[in-house]
Amino acid sequence: MKKDLVINAGSSTLKWKLFSIPDETIIATGLIDRINLPNSVFTVKRPQHDPYKAVKPSITYDLAVTMLLSFLKDHGLVKHLREITGIGHRVVAGGEHFKDSVLIDDEVLAEIHNLAEYAPLHNPVQARYIEIFKQLLPDVRQVAVFDTSLYADMPKVNCLYPIPYEYYTDLGIRKYGAHGTSHRYVANRAADLLKKDLSDLKMITCHLGSGSSITAFNQGRVIDTSMGFTPLGGVMMATRSGDLDPSLVGFLAEKLGISVNEVIDILNQKSGLLGISQLSPDQRDLEDAENSNPQAKLALEMFINRVVRFIGSYVAELGGLDALIFTAGCGENGIAMRERIMEQLTYFGINADVERNNVRGKEQQINQVTDAVQVLVVPTNEELMIARDIQRILR
């Protein structure tokens, strides 16, 4: 049996899934948390097995991969490591260089390193894991799946900023977007559920979670997305501000007596729902508190306002709408949030169905079936998308 390994690496975490191929069954899924920090944790979940957990004083990048491969072999998930026929890596920044997933060779690896300035917390770490797997499994081919590739050919009218054009040609400054693998999966899955070709649909996908982004598809092609040069742009998020007047950066730096980088850190880590509510970045906490806490209520209303703004502007760009899709943590589970967003979209012909919307993490239409626009919940599955890209690129 052939098996593919999907790797989703962050700065201090390593998420992975092992798939059997071609049936796409998940054999095991795991998380290594607190990498390079004290009390690192290695956990694994398998069907029909109790969860496995091990705590180590500190797990390095190299040790994380060694522990992962040893676990697969020692617990019989693979009889031999050569059963692993492909490894797929989520890579955040592909710039304009990578317009699709790609087989990794030395040239590709070097370019991932070169693109680190666009994702300094992610690309270097993801490149390091590619190198480690290459050392330990030299005969296994690896595939890079880029968050940004979905947006590489986005129309210039939408992806460029109104600043001197040479900043785009010389420095590569443009809107790159994020969550591309998630948006790609849910858009295609939604088309399947609607029994239509994606090329026949005007669709908006809303990836709403701790990080949130909204993407517009016209006849299968992305025409716009909310996140910008970095994931800080776009809608208000859990701790990120989203779009604001760029003059505020210099103003705050001067008034607070801090550096521009420190202001950017505030906009990334201390703003959004957390900044407005001064209570929590978690929408569930704010919903519990909003009846007695005006700032919690305001934070939620601002989030809804920003989401509705982007949806409305994209409907105008698309010249209509066939389907609106919710996905990710809040999108899949935020029953009240989805309903409140739909209530502000009735002029598009969207009418929430309270009974249908009472669903978490399940594929389902959540508005009235007679509506002209169909609103669906589609749980995202980035790992499955990566596994399929391994198959497509390698085989």
Side-chain angles (χ1 to χ4, degrees):
M1 179 185 296
K2 295 180 180 179
K3 295 167 184 176
D4 284 345
L5 183 62
V6 170
I7 301 296
N8 185 346
S11 57
S12 62
T13 61
L14 176 65
K15 300 176 184 177
W16 59 271
K17 282 187 180 180
L18 183 68
F19 289 85
S20 67
I21 300 301
D23 62 354
E24 299 181 343
T25 299
I26 297 174
I27 300 171
T29 181
L31 169 67
I32 307 172
D33 199 9
R34 297 183 56 82
I35 293 174
N36 290 325
L37 295 170
N39 300 316
S40 303
V41 183
F42 181 96
T43 56
V44 181
K45 294 181 180 179
R46 293 180 287 165
Q48 287 81 52
H49 287 79
D50 293 332
Y52 174 88
K53 179 178 179 179
V55 179
K56 301 289 183 181
S58 182
I59 298 176
T60 63
Y61 297 138
D62 294 78
L63 181 58
V65 177
T66 300
M67 289 180 66
L68 164 56
L69 296 179
S70 295
F71 185 92
L72 297 182
K73 189 174 179 182
D74 295 345
H75 290 77
L77 299 180
V78 295
K79 294 180 180 178
H80 192 282
L81 291 176
R82 61 173 168 264
E83 287 184 23
I84 300 174
T85 55
I87 301 173
H89 295 265
R90 175 216 176 197
V91 180
V92 169
E96 290 190 311
H97 190 92
F98 297 107
K99 298 184 178 182
D100 193 4
S101 302
V102 65
L103 179 67
I104 298 172
D105 57 18
D106 291 342
E107 182 180 341
V108 169
L109 181 57
E111 190 62 28
I112 291 172
H113 276 295
N114 291 338
L115 291 163
E117 61 184 338
Y118 298 111
L121 296 180
H122 292 89
N123 269 43
V125 174
Q126 289 155 353
R128 178 63 187 136
Y129 279 115
I130 292 168
E131 292 167 347
I132 296 169
F133 277 103
K134 183 178 180 180
Q135 292 167 2
L136 298 178
L137 298 176
D139 296 327
V140 179
R141 293 180 294 174
Q142 302 187 72
V143 171
V145 179
F146 299 92
D147 279 3
T148 54
S149 63
L150 183 66
Y151 311 109
D153 289 326
M154 199 161 62
K156 282 187 169 59
V157 68
N158 289 327
C159 78
L160 294 192
Y161 294 105
I163 57 178
Y165 192 77
E166 63 265 25
Y167 297 164
Y168 164 61
T169 56
D170 297 347
L171 302 175
I173 295 175
R174 53 155 285 182
K175 184 187 289 190
Y176 286 106
H179 300 140
T181 306
S182 174
H183 286 286
R184 182 159 56 103
Y185 173 81
V186 299
N188 282 279
R189 180 59 185 157
D192 290 342
L193 294 171
L194 295 171
K195 295 181 172 55
K196 295 182 179 180
D197 290 330
L198 185 59
S199 60
D200 294 331
L201 294 170
K202 295 179 178 181
M203 181 186 294
I204 296 173
T205 53
C206 300
H207 179 111
L208 305 181
S210 178
S212 296
S213 60
I214 301 174
T215 295
F217 292 82
N218 189 16
Q219 297 179 334
R221 182 188 180 195
V222 169
I223 63 162
D224 211 345
T225 193
S226 60
M227 282 184 168
F229 179 67
T230 73
L232 179 56
V235 298
M236 174 181 176
M237 303 174 226
T239 64
R240 299 175 196 156
S241 65
D243 289 348
L244 46 70
D245 183 343
S247 297
L248 279 173
V249 176
F251 180 86
L252 286 171
E254 180 180 352
K255 291 296 183 181
L256 300 177
I258 59 178
S259 68
V260 167
N261 285 339
E262 288 174 306
V263 174
I264 298 298
D265 183 66
I266 291 170
L267 299 180
N268 270 301
Q269 304 294 336
K270 300 178 181 179
S271 300
L273 294 174
L274 175 62
I276 295 297
S277 71
Q278 297 182 306
L279 174 65
S280 172
D282 193 311
Q283 291 183 14
R284 294 166 295 187
D285 295 338
L286 302 185
E287 287 175 349
D288 289 341
E290 66 175 318
N291 289 333
S292 58
N293 186 322
Q295 285 179 236
K297 181 178 177 64
L298 175 61
L300 290 171
E301 289 176 344
M302 288 177 66
F303 177 80
I304 293 165
N305 171 271
R306 271 54 173 183
V307 171
V308 169
R309 279 191 203 176
F310 270 96
I311 292 173
S313 67
Y314 289 168
V315 172
E317 283 193 72
L318 290 167
L321 186 65
D322 297 310
L324 176 67
I325 315 301
F326 289 100
T327 194
C330 170
E332 295 172 23
N333 300 291
I335 295 170
M337 181 60 68
R338 293 192 305 252
E339 183 173 347
R340 291 164 78 168
I341 291 170
M342 286 189 286
E343 284 175 350
Q344 295 197 29
L345 299 174
T346 55
Y347 63 97
F348 288 154
I350 292 174
N351 298 280
D353 185 310
V354 175
E355 184 175 344
R356 286 175 170 270
N357 186 47
N358 188 28
V359 63
R360 301 181 191 274
K362 179 183 176 183
E363 295 179 340
Q364 184 157 297
Q365 183 174 347
I366 57 173
N367 66 320
Q368 296 180 18
V369 294
T370 55
D371 288 352
V373 178
Q374 299 189 14
V375 185
L376 279 70
V377 173
V378 179
T380 192
N381 197 333
E382 294 169 282
E383 291 83 4
L384 179 58
M385 194 84 259
I386 294 171
R388 288 176 176 172
D389 275 10
I390 297 172
Q391 298 301 302
R392 180 171 60 87
I393 299 297
L394 297 187
R395 304 187 180 104

